[in-house]
Amino acid sequence: LRREGARPAPSPHPMQAPGLSSLTGGGSKTIGDGSKSKSTLPTHLYNLVHDLIDTEKRDTALLELSKKREDFPDLAPILWNSFGTIAALLQEIVSIYPLLSPPRLTTELSNRCCNALALLQCVASHPETRSAFLNAHIPLYLYPFLNTVCTYRQYEFLRLTSLGVIGALVKMDDSDVITFLLQTQIIPLCLRIMDNGSELSKTVATFIIQKILLDDQGLAYICHTFERFSTVSDVLRKMVLGLVEQPSVRLLKHICRCYLRLSENKHARDALQTCIPNELRDNTFAEDLKDESERLTRKWLQQLLRNIGDVPAESEGTG
């Protein structure tokens, strides 16, 4: 691990770039060259997509489409290929920038923007639109929301929904996604949220870091210098200490997986022998992980301790 100057997280810049009832009635629409999509949309839903470009109808369209999006897997290509739709969603996002600092965002505006972000998450997770979504650098439009520190609920919803879009991207295990994200400031932004965010935001941000680490290029990037490794390791350590006072099994699960992946890099493994928190060594979380549903987390923790030399290889079958 060689050293280099640390790079701070960027400041928000206004110029940079959330059980669903089924719809009934109506016919179906086709898109593109006239051929039917894999699952056709009811006419009412297709009309809602068209309403996104009408500023007077957009609020209702955003709300209804965000409710229905999981019922129709092919909504994403229609959103992406419909005239003016993505521009309308980006307009909703950009219009919030002036309200971030000083904080003047209302709950109503936050909910409206979160509905737009939910539709972008739909586009980000679809295999037919994900690459175009990345090529257009649309995730960068979300970074000012991730960089906010205001603790009001409406800002927390905005951060959490933005994290959901990035989480949907990394969940696909697409190496191109990791390549794109490593060229941006997503790691310091996630680390800041892991350090100071709510439990749910911390969990999603840690999941994003976990998925980056699970990609070979992501692991190599974070372990390339001592500063990068130590920055990630310090935040993970602080989170472990916080879990002693406020336990969260799901957050602990992602932390253990991050540590385990780091231990698979030789240089990081050597460093972890001295910097891993004692709370992961001394059964502090044994009670939290005793349930059978946490068997995988227990396995990861034991493998981590084995990798750094705390547990003899002979004890592999125990626990």
Side-chain angles (χ1 to χ4, degrees):
L1 298 168
R2 65 177 180 82
R3 297 179 178 272
E4 69 171 16
R7 296 173 59 188
S11 300
H13 194 296
M15 299 304 293
Q16 286 181 335
L20 309 169
S21 58
S22 60
L23 292 169
T24 59
S28 62
K29 289 281 186 175
T30 58
I31 61 173
D33 59 0
S35 60
K36 286 186 177 293
S37 60
K38 294 178 182 177
S39 61
T40 55
L41 258 64
T43 301
H44 175 61
L45 198 61
Y46 190 88
N47 290 338
L48 286 173
V49 173
H50 184 266
D51 287 347
L52 290 173
I53 63 175
D54 187 332
T55 55
E56 295 184 359
K57 299 179 179 179
R58 186 180 298 166
D59 193 12
T60 299
L62 286 170
L63 178 60
E64 293 302 317
L65 286 169
S66 67
K67 290 178 181 178
K68 310 298 183 184
R69 70 190 191 280
E70 293 182 0
D71 284 348
F72 298 94
D74 287 324
L75 176 60
I78 294 174
L79 287 170
W80 185 261
N81 292 294
S82 296
F83 175 78
T85 299
I86 298 301
L89 297 179
L90 293 179
Q91 186 179 50
E92 290 296 311
I93 291 172
V94 173
S95 69
I96 300 299
Y97 290 173
L99 308 179
L100 297 179
S101 182
R104 292 178 287 119
L105 181 63
T106 66
T107 298
E108 180 182 2
L109 288 175
S110 175
N111 289 340
R112 175 167 170 158
C113 186
C114 285
N115 288 333
L117 290 169
L119 296 182
L120 287 181
Q121 178 174 333
C122 172
V123 175
S125 60
H126 197 285
E128 293 182 20
T129 54
R130 185 168 59 247
S131 294
F133 185 85
L134 289 176
N135 290 337
H137 290 192
I138 290 179
L140 299 181
Y141 286 87
L142 282 54
Y143 286 13
F145 299 155
L146 298 180
N147 205 34
T148 58
V149 294
C150 183
T151 58
Y152 296 151
R153 174 180 288 187
Q154 57 266 39
Y155 289 87
E156 174 61 20
F157 284 166
L158 209 54
R159 278 190 297 271
L160 186 58
T161 313
S162 299
L163 284 170
V165 178
I166 307 300
L169 280 171
V170 299
K171 189 177 181 179
M172 298 298 108
D173 294 322
D174 185 339
S175 189
D176 289 339
V177 171
I178 305 302
T179 299
F180 172 84
L181 293 177
L182 291 179
Q183 299 173 25
T184 74
Q185 289 291 306
I186 192 60
I187 292 178
L189 288 172
C190 283
L191 291 177
R192 173 186 288 185
I193 294 171
M194 291 161 63
D195 198 17
N196 300 306
S198 67
E199 178 195 336
L200 190 52
S201 288
K202 286 182 177 182
T203 301
V204 181
T206 308
F207 170 76
I208 293 170
I209 294 296
Q210 171 188 318
K211 298 299 283 187
I212 291 174
L213 281 167
L214 288 175
D215 186 272
D216 287 344
Q217 60 179 324
L219 178 64
Y221 178 88
I222 288 177
C223 296
H224 183 63
T225 69
F226 179 79
E227 280 72 20
R228 291 178 188 171
F229 163 80
S230 63
T231 300
V232 174
S233 177
D234 288 347
V235 171
L236 291 174
R237 182 178 183 277
K238 184 176 179 180
M239 294 174 72
V240 170
L241 298 179
L243 290 180
V244 177
E245 298 295 327
Q246 296 180 315
S248 170
V249 174
R250 63 180 175 181
L251 182 52
L252 178 61
K253 176 181 179 179
H254 294 304
I255 293 172
C256 288
R257 190 65 185 95
C258 287
Y259 269 126
L260 176 57
R261 180 58 170 164
L262 285 171
S263 72
E264 294 172 9
N265 176 276
K266 180 183 183 304
H267 300 296
R269 181 167 60 247
D270 294 341
L272 286 173
Q273 292 173 2
T274 59
C275 69
I276 198 169
N278 289 330
E279 287 75 8
L280 290 181
R281 304 176 189 255
D282 61 9
N283 291 322
T284 294
F285 299 105
E287 186 68 19
D288 299 314
L289 299 178
K290 68 178 182 180
D291 193 274
E292 181 62 22
S293 63
E294 303 307 323
R295 181 178 182 180
L296 182 59
T297 306
R298 294 198 304 270
K299 177 181 178 181
W300 288 343
L301 180 55
Q302 185 180 56
Q303 184 62 53
L304 165 64
L305 297 178
R306 189 179 304 120
N307 287 355
I308 63 174
D310 275 25
V311 178
E314 306 85 73
S315 64
E316 184 170 349
T318 65

